[in-house]
Amino acid sequence: MPQVAVLAFSMGTCARDLRRAGRTRRSGRIGWEAIRDDTQVAVQAPQSFTGPPDFWTAVKAAADGYQADRQAGQPVRLELWCETAGMVPQLARLGFGFGIACFSGGGFDGLVGKHNAAQRAVAGGRRTRILHLVLPGLSECGVTSY
């Protein structure tokens, strides 16, 4: 069972604790999988093929994975949102079977995500309902959110 500690918050202690956690992870005393770190953003290389047979194998795989848009024809389009970017993969698996996309809100001041949601809502031509999950947890500086 994980141990939980409540610490007094200040920017100085936050920076110190983040450095300490980084050193402890690099030294191997805390496993890399023990602390979620979603600060890296990666973009995959475009799909490419070794030749026509490889291309047609990919086409067949895409056809085998075909799924109709489950929100097509519905009066309201749904989106699933959470504040924690690290939760997106788990929640995306939850929404996948229902055809619901999942997004990270980008924090309380994340304007880009909100702007993009408004653009999707306007482009869709129908009402959009955002299912926004706020899960309790700790911010990167140890402040509890509920």
Side-chain angles (χ1 to χ4, degrees), residues 9-16 141:
F9 174 76
S10 77
M11 290 308 288
T13 59
C14 177
R16 183 194 70 225
C141 290

Side-chain angles (χ1 to χ4, degrees), residues 78-145:
L78 299 175
E79 288 188 2
L80 181 58
W81 279 47
C82 62
E83 286 305 311
T84 308
M87 290 296 297
V88 169
Q90 293 94 322
L91 293 175
R93 286 192 299 273
L94 178 80
F96 180 81
F98 301 99
I100 301 173
C102 184
F103 301 89
S104 168
F108 76 95
D109 60 350
L111 293 179
V112 172
K114 294 172 184 76
H115 173 77
N116 292 344
Q119 296 293 83
R120 285 189 303 273
V122 169
R126 57 189 162 147
R127 290 187 359 230
T128 298
R129 177 158 298 145
I130 294 176
L131 310 172
H132 189 180
L133 301 176
V134 179
L135 304 170
L138 296 176
S139 72
E140 64 183 22
C141 290
V143 177
T144 303
S145 62

